[in-house]
Each structure stands twice: as C-alpha cells, then as structure tokens.
Amino acid sequence: METVAFLLIAIIFVVTLIVFGYYMLHQTKEFVTNEQKKTLLEIQKISESETKRVVTPIQLQAYERLVLFLERMKPDNLVLRCYSVDMNTQLLRDVMIKNIRDEYEHNLSQQLYVSSQAWVYIKNAKEEIINVLNSLVPKQDETLTPTQYAGMLFEKMTGQANQIELAQEFLKKEIQERFK
C-alpha cells in the first residue's frame, strides 16, 4: 500500500511539475514577446528621430541649393557671371545656356528631398529662361552686341511673373509648411 501511495504522490508531483513547467514556459514566452515588442518600438522611435535628425538638414540644404540655383538663373546674375569682354552675342548666349544646364544637372539629386510639384517648378523655370535666351536673337544676327542682348533679356524678364519667381515662391511656401 505504501508503494501505491508513493506512486500516486509521485504521479501527482510529476503532473504538477509538468503543469507548472508549461505555465512558466507560457509566461516566459509571453514576457519575451512583450519585451521584443517594447524593444522594437524603442528602435522604431530611435530610427524615426535619427532619420529626422539626419534627413532634415539634408532637406533644408536641398531647398537652399534650389533657391540658389534659381537666383543664379535670374538674368542679372546670369549675365554678370557669364559675360566676358571678348564674347560675341552667340557665345554669351551659349555660355549662359550651358551654365544653366550644368547647374541643373549638378542639382538633379535635390529632387529627392523636395516635392514633385516643386521639382516641376524648377524644371519649368530652367526651360523658360533657356527658351527666352534662345528666342531673343536669331542665330545669324551678327549686329547685336552682347550688351544689347543683355538689355533685351532684362526687358523680357522684368515686369512679368516668370517661372523663376514662381518657383522661388513655391519653394518658400513649401519649406515653411514642411518645417512648421
């Protein structure tokens, strides 16, 4: 009889041990899962803040570079930067257009950090100024001096809302909205 009682107590003890072990395993699994979720949330928070910390200055720099690009495309700045005394009108026009295209290509990667609409404004401004430069004088006109050409350019671009100014205004509004 003692053997049966001992065997019964042993079976109850083993069953209790199994139930307790299962309960502890389940609790441990739940604890580990919760800890993983907390850790992932913390990593996500850190990642978001780290991303903002890294990307925000790059975005600001992109806006600055694009505003500078637009400023450099304005006729007065463009002529001052590109004109040389020994140039004829054709060469001045070609140098200005090349300068615009080179700067545009240099700033192509900035479109990653501004809205698609902002980039459309930038492209439109570039295309407009190139079209104006090309439209002012026929290629065969040798009588027009670079000074006269620059005067025609200034006349054409002043007093009207042009794509350069529209792009600048859009960039200013967008950056104000983005970084409130």
Side-chain angles (χ1 to χ4, degrees):
M1 181 103 180
E2 277 184 27
T3 317
V4 175
F6 180 72
L7 192 55
L8 192 57
I9 291 174
I11 291 174
I12 292 173
F13 181 72
V14 170
V15 170
T16 305
L17 211 68
I18 290 172
V19 169
F20 181 73
Y22 176 77
Y23 175 76
M24 289 305 291
L25 184 64
H26 179 68
Q27 290 293 32
T28 304
K29 183 179 176 186
E30 199 172 297
F31 175 78
V32 168
T33 302
N34 287 340
E35 286 302 308
Q36 284 176 336
K37 287 178 183 177
K38 285 179 188 177
T39 305
L40 284 173
L41 284 173
E42 287 175 17
I43 289 171
Q44 210 170 25
K45 278 183 183 176
I46 291 170
S47 294
E48 287 173 11
S49 66
E50 184 67 16
T51 299
K52 284 181 182 177
R53 189 183 69 74
V54 171
V55 171
T56 299
I58 294 171
Q59 287 177 322
L60 286 170
Q61 185 181 36
Y63 282 97
E64 289 170 356
R65 285 181 64 178
L66 292 174
V67 167
L68 180 62
F69 170 60
L70 292 167
E71 275 299 315
R72 291 172 63 93
M73 274 197 305
K74 286 184 175 178
D76 51 341
N77 295 326
L78 191 60
V79 170
L80 285 173
R81 199 172 54 260
C82 297
Y83 177 72
S84 175
V85 180
D86 57 340
M87 287 183 165
N88 65 24
T89 305
Q90 299 337 41
L91 183 58
L92 175 60
R93 180 184 61 210
D94 293 345
V95 167
M96 288 191 293
I97 290 172
K98 181 177 180 349
N99 186 277
I100 291 168
R101 287 184 175 145
D102 288 348
E103 288 214 28
Y104 178 78
E105 288 174 14
H106 178 73
N107 286 299
L108 273 173
S109 64
Q110 303 312 309
Q111 67 185 297
L112 294 172
Y113 304 106
V114 298
S115 70
S116 298
Q117 190 175 5
W119 191 250
V120 168
Y121 274 97
I122 299 294
K123 286 188 338 187
N124 289 345
K126 174 193 73 107
E127 292 303 319
E128 180 191 52
I129 190 71
I130 288 174
N131 288 338
V132 168
L133 290 169
N134 281 325
S135 72
L136 289 178
V137 60
K139 290 192 185 257
Q140 296 80 18
D141 190 353
E142 296 289 328
T143 61
L144 190 66
T145 68
T147 306
Q148 292 169 325
Y149 179 74
M152 290 171 60
L153 177 61
F154 296 147
E155 268 183 48
K156 178 83 173 172
M157 296 299 287
T158 55
Q160 67 176 13
N162 61 57
Q163 292 297 320
I164 294 172
E165 292 167 354
L166 293 174
Q168 284 179 316
E169 286 305 310
F170 186 83
L171 287 175
K172 288 175 188 175
K173 285 179 187 173
E174 186 170 274
I175 200 165
Q176 289 169 355
E177 288 297 315
R178 205 174 230 187
F179 297 103
K180 276 186 175 179

